[in-house]
């Protein structure tokens, strides 16, 4: 009986360890294949699913990413409302407005509207934090020094120049105050403990998007610096797996062709 692993057509069958290695590598990589496939498909539809606008609120994951709230750079309170600048993010009553500012030098609340100013610009928002309009004040000698209110109108001071808004807070015009003491200027204050807690929750809650988590899962960065190296190794293994599968497929095809052509092993 011919017990040689070599068929009569001269094609050697893959040895047992080669087939077993191919099988075990394939089984071991199954989880990574599923992970890469699912995250890859998801990343192709980030905009459609709105994942770039959805945020992760799990404290343990935010801690793992090192997302911590820095101290507020400025905070003002007026008429039961508070504006706080953290980094370059503007918060009204503990809610992220989505507006950015390099500085905050004043804040007033006038009826249903609130006004936050810094530099030479002003953000006019609803009391709920929705943007109504951003106004760039031209002709000022410098940055806005302070913001106040007078008779239901907003007042802005830059150097010795005063501007006062119309009743609708739509237009600002130069103004000479007859009684400067009638202006209620905003002043910096410090948020209390409950306000700081709300600010921290709002700041961290918009610090990590679902898109970034999925992208880090796909690249392996979710587990740190070694993650990308692991995913590189997985990629190399998948390439090797593909070539080894091709080799075994060709070997099997040749054996089957030999059998069909009558080249059977002799006893």
């Amino acid at each position: 009986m011919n017990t040689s692993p070599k068929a009569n057509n001269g094609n050697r069958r893959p040895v047992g360890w080669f087939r077993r290695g191919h099988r075990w590598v394939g089984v071991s990589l199954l989880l990574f294949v599923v992970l890469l496939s699912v995250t890859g498909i998801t990343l192709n539809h980030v905009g459609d699913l709105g994942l770039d606008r959805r945020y992760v609120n799990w404290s343990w994951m935010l801690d793992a990413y090192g997302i911590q709230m820095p101290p507020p750079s400025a905070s003002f309170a007026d008429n039961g409302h508070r504006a706080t600048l953290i980094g370059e993010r503007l918060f009204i009553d503990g809610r992220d407005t989505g507006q950015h500012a390099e500085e905050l030098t004043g804040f007033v609340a006038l009826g249903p509207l609130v006004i936050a100013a810094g530099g030479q610009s002003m953000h006019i928002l609803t009391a709920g934090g929705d943007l109504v309009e951003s106004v760039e004040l031209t002709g000022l000698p410098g940055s806005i020094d302070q913001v106040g209110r007078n008779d239901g109108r907003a007042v802005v001071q830059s150097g010795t120049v005063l501007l006062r808004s119309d009743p609708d807070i739509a237009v600002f015009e130069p103004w000479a105050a007859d009684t400067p003491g009638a202006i209620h200027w905003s002043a910096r204050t410090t948020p209390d403990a409950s306000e700081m807690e709300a600010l921290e929750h709002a700041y961290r809650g918009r610090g990590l998007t679902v898109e970034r988590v999925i992208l880090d899962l796909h690249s392996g960065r979710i587990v740190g610096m070694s993650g990308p190296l692991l995913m590189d190794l997985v990629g190399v293994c998948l390439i090797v797996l593909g070539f080894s599968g091709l080799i075994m497929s060709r070997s099997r095809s040749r054996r089957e062709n030999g059998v069909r052509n009558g080249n059977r092993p002799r006893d």
Side-chain angles (χ1 to χ4, degrees):
M1 179 180 294
N2 184 6
T3 60
S4 172
K6 188 175 183 179
N8 288 347
N9 62 1
N11 295 323
R12 183 178 296 275
R13 301 180 183 182
V15 294
W17 67 263
F18 188 84
R19 294 195 301 270
R20 289 193 298 270
H22 178 86
R23 180 171 62 250
W24 282 110
V25 170
V27 172
S28 301
L29 294 180
L30 178 60
L31 178 62
F32 291 99
V33 171
V34 173
L35 174 65
L36 289 171
S37 300
V38 172
T39 55
I41 292 172
T42 304
L43 288 172
N44 283 338
H45 301 279
V46 163
D48 298 331
L49 299 174
L51 302 182
D52 55 340
R53 301 182 300 275
R54 296 184 181 180
Y55 297 89
V56 176
N57 291 316
W58 298 327
S59 296
W60 63 269
M61 183 168 287
L62 294 173
D63 291 338
Y65 271 83
I67 298 176
Q68 302 294 333
M69 185 185 78
S73 56
S75 187
F76 295 82
D78 186 53
N79 274 346
H81 298 283
R82 176 176 292 278
T84 304
L85 187 65
I86 303 176
E88 293 187 352
R89 294 164 59 181
L90 178 64
F91 295 79
I92 301 295
D93 295 335
R95 293 187 293 272
D96 194 339
T97 64
Q99 306 304 313
H100 292 75
E102 294 183 359
E103 58 180 327
L104 179 65
T105 55
F107 168 76
V108 291
L110 298 171
L113 300 178
V114 296
I115 300 172
Q120 291 188 338
S121 62
M122 305 181 66
H123 293 302
I124 303 174
L125 309 102
T126 66
D130 298 321
L131 180 67
V132 175
E133 185 181 8
S134 291
V135 179
E136 190 76 18
L137 299 178
T138 59
L140 295 178
S143 298
I144 297 172
D145 295 324
Q146 55 183 348
V147 180
R149 49 186 166 85
N150 170 265
D151 194 24
R153 305 186 186 193
V155 180
V156 174
Q157 182 178 16
S158 175
T160 59
V161 175
L162 286 177
L163 299 180
R164 189 173 72 161
S165 73
D166 62 353
D168 296 327
I169 317 177
V171 178
F172 283 81
E173 297 178 342
W175 178 59
D178 297 330
T179 53
I183 304 173
H184 173 79
W185 296 109
S186 59
R188 294 174 182 256
T189 58
T190 302
D192 60 26
S194 61
E195 290 172 328
M196 286 295 293
E197 183 178 355
L199 285 168
E200 182 175 10
H201 179 76
Y203 183 91
R204 280 164 46 94
R206 293 180 67 87
L208 180 62
T209 63
V210 176
E211 177 190 17
R212 180 180 173 186
V213 174
I214 295 175
L215 185 61
D216 288 346
L217 279 171
H218 188 78
S219 66
R221 290 186 176 88
I222 193 76
V223 295
M225 297 295 294
S226 60
L229 296 177
L230 174 61
M231 299 310 290
D232 290 344
L233 178 61
V234 169
V236 171
C237 290
L238 288 174
I239 294 173
V240 172
L241 196 65
F243 278 108
S244 63
L246 179 62
I247 292 172
M248 290 193 297
S249 176
R250 288 175 61 85
S251 175
R252 180 177 179 181
S253 177
R254 288 175 180 176
R255 291 200 309 272
E256 291 176 349
N257 287 336
V259 171
R260 283 196 294 269
N261 293 331
N263 296 326
R264 296 177 178 273
R266 295 178 181 177
D267 294 335

